[in-house]
Amino acid sequence: FQPQGEQMSEIKVYVVEFGDRNHYQMQYADPLTRRKRTRSTGVERTGRKAERTAAERAAAKWESALREGRYAEPSRILWADFRDRYEAEKLPSLAPRTAEPASAALNHIETHINPHRLADVNAATLSTLQAKLREAGLKETTIAGHLAHLKAALSWAVSVGMLAVMPKVSMPKRAKGQTFMRGRPITAEEFDRMLAKVKVARPADASAWKHYLNGLWLSGLRLGESLLLAWDDGKLAVDLTGKHPRLRIEAEGEKGHKDRLLPMTPDFAEWLLSTPEHDRVGLVFKLPGLLTGKTISQKRVSRIISTIGEKAGVVVNKDEGKFASAHDLRRAFLTRWAPKVKPATLQLLARHETIETTLRYYVAQDADDVAAELWATHKPKGNTLANSGSGAAAEDEKDDARSVDANNG
C-alpha cells in the first residue's frame, strides 16, 4: 500500500535494533494503516558510532524516497518503471560502449520473457532466457555478455530498493577446451601479414592505416583510447615533461574512469619520438574520414581493422569465423610484455582493474618460450636429462678412447 498526498510528509523512518539481526534495521509506521514497515539498512550492527551513523544515513535516504513518492514495495515495482529509472539514472553514467549493450540486454528480456513486474525476473525466467537466446542462434560468449549486463542492472535495482533480493544468475558454462575470449593474441608474423595487406584494403590512405596499426601494436591501447590520443591537452595525451615519455589520462578518457599518469613502454616511446616535433600537434593517429574528411567513427575503424585482418587471413576465432581486431593487437602487446615484467607492472600497463585479468596473459605464454627461459639458467648436475643427449654421448666416446689407449699401453 502506497501512502498518497500530504500523508507522505508524515513518514518518519527510524533506525532500530533487533537482537536476532546482524544488521541495523530501519522502520516507519504507515500513516494510513499505522502498520510498521521494516527493512534492513545493510549496515552491520557493531555498536560503534560510525556504523550507527551509516545506518541513520540509509534511513534518511529511504525516508526521502518515501516522502517523494519514489518508493514502492519491491514486489509491486513494474518492469517498465524499473527500466525507465535505470535508463534515466544509471545508464547516463556509463560509457556509451557499455550503455548500448546494457539496453540491448534489457530488450532481450522484454522480447523473450516480457515481464510485467520487476520481480518476475528471477532465476527461473533468466534460465528460460538463456534457452531462448540459444534457440535464436546466439553464441555462448554473446549470451554471457547479455547476462553480465542484466546482473549489473538487477544489482542496481537492489541497491535502490526496487528489488528485495538479487536473483541468482547462472552464467553459461564453458565446455572443456573452450574459452569465452572471442579472440587471441596475434603473432608477429601475422601482424606483418596485416601490414602487407593494408594497401589492398585501403589503397587510397594505406600509409595512415599502417601508421595506426603500428601504434596499436606497440602501445597496447584500447581502440577507443587510441582515437583520443593527442600530442597536446586532451582526455588522453602524450606527456613529455618527465624523464621518460608517459601517458596522461583523464577519468573520462579510459575504461577505468580514473585520472592517471602512466609509463609507456620504451619501444612505443621511441616510435612516438620519431615523429618530427613540428608534427606533434593534435591527434597522434590522424585517420582520414571516408568521403567527408571528418573524424572517422569508432565502429568504422573497428570494421576496417577486421577487414585488413580478413585480407591477411588472420583468423582469431575459428568457431565464429572472427578475423583479427584492434583488441587482438592489444592482447598481443600484453602477451609480449608478460615474460618481461612483473604482474603488477603489466597490470599498470594494461590498466586492468584486477590482477586476475592481467594474470591471464601469463597463463597464455607459449610453453616452449617459458621452458627456454627456465633451462637458460639451469646448471646440470649428475646423471640428469640435460646430459643424456649428444653431450653425454661425447663423454662416452672419450671414455671408450681412454680404455683403448690403456689397453694398447
Side-chain angles (χ1 to χ4, degrees), residues 15 68 83 106 121 123 127 131 150 168 174 181 206 210 212 246 248 261 264 266 285 288 292 308 330 352 376 380 395:
V15 174
E68 294 174 11
R83 179 158 187 174
L106 300 181
V121 181
S127 179
L150 289 174
K168 182 178 180 181
R174 286 178 296 179
M181 187 179 291
K210 281 187 177 181
Y212 180 55
R246 300 171 294 185
R248 185 177 68 253
L261 192 61
M264 65 175 70
F285 303 111
T292 62
I308 295 171
R330 173 174 162 82
H352 286 150
E395 289 298 321

Side-chain angles (χ1 to χ4, degrees), residues 163-179:
L163 194 62
V165 179
M166 177 70 186
K168 182 178 180 181
V169 182
S170 298
M171 302 297 287
K173 300 293 184 182
R174 286 178 296 179
K176 188 175 182 180
Q178 291 184 336
T179 175

Side-chain angles (χ1 to χ4, degrees), residues 90-102 252 254-255 257:
K90 182 61 178 178
L91 287 191
S93 68
L94 304 177
R97 291 193 68 188
T98 302
E100 290 176 10
E252 61 268 33
E254 63 107 27
K255 188 177 179 181
H257 300 293

Side-chain angles (χ1 to χ4, degrees), residues 82 123 132 189 347 353:
F82 153 72
K132 295 286 188 181
E189 184 273 333
Q347 182 184 4
E353 191 69 24

Side-chain angles (χ1 to χ4, degrees), residues 301-314:
V301 172
S302 178
R303 286 196 293 267
I304 289 173
I305 294 175
S306 292
T307 298
I308 295 171
E310 182 176 3
K311 297 293 184 184
V314 181

Side-chain angles (χ1 to χ4, degrees), residues 106-270:
L106 300 181
N107 290 339
H108 281 298
I109 280 278
E110 294 178 1
T111 299
H112 298 288
I113 304 300
N114 192 27
H116 177 60
R117 299 188 186 277
L118 176 58
D120 294 339
V121 181
N122 51 44
T125 55
L126 289 172
S127 179
T128 300
L129 174 66
Q130 288 194 47
K132 295 286 188 181
L133 294 177
R134 289 191 185 95
E135 289 176 7
L138 273 65
K139 301 290 186 181
E140 294 300 299
T141 51
T142 305
I143 294 174
H146 288 317
L147 290 175
H149 287 296
L150 289 174
K151 284 181 68 174
L154 295 173
S155 178
W156 177 84
V158 172
S159 72
V160 297
M162 299 187 77
L163 194 62
V165 179
M166 177 70 186
K168 182 178 180 181
V169 182
S170 298
M171 302 297 287
K173 300 293 184 182
R174 286 178 296 179
K176 188 175 182 180
Q178 291 184 336
T179 175
F180 283 136
M181 187 179 291
R182 297 195 62 197
R184 61 168 176 80
I186 67 172
T187 66
E189 184 273 333
E190 289 173 328
F191 179 63
D192 287 340
R193 279 160 48 195
M194 290 181 67
L195 291 179
K197 292 297 182 180
V198 170
K199 187 73 174 177
V200 177
R202 303 293 300 181
D205 45 26
S207 60
W209 284 94
K210 281 187 177 181
H211 181 264
Y212 180 55
L213 289 181
N214 275 303
L216 290 178
W217 175 262
L218 293 172
S219 69
L221 290 171
R222 299 178 177 94
L223 191 150
E225 296 167 349
S226 68
L227 298 180
L228 293 174
L229 186 63
W231 286 107
D232 35 43
D233 291 338
K235 296 177 181 178
L236 179 59
V238 177
D239 188 302
L240 301 176
T241 61
K243 183 177 180 180
H244 301 291
R246 300 171 294 185
L247 290 175
R248 185 177 68 253
I249 306 175
E250 295 180 1
E252 61 268 33
E254 63 107 27
K255 188 177 179 181
H257 300 293
K258 295 179 182 178
D259 291 329
R260 310 192 194 196
L261 192 61
L262 298 174
M264 65 175 70
T265 57
D267 54 352
F268 180 51
E270 291 171 355

Side-chain angles (χ1 to χ4, degrees), residues 307-344:
T307 298
I308 295 171
E310 182 176 3
K311 297 293 184 184
V314 181
V315 180
V316 295
N317 188 318
K318 292 182 180 179
D319 292 337
E320 297 187 14
K322 182 179 180 296
F323 295 97
S325 67
H327 203 68
D328 298 314
L329 294 175
R330 173 174 162 82
R331 290 186 177 109
F333 167 85
L334 295 173
T335 301
R336 289 198 312 278
W337 280 98
K340 303 175 184 179
V341 298
K342 297 176 181 178

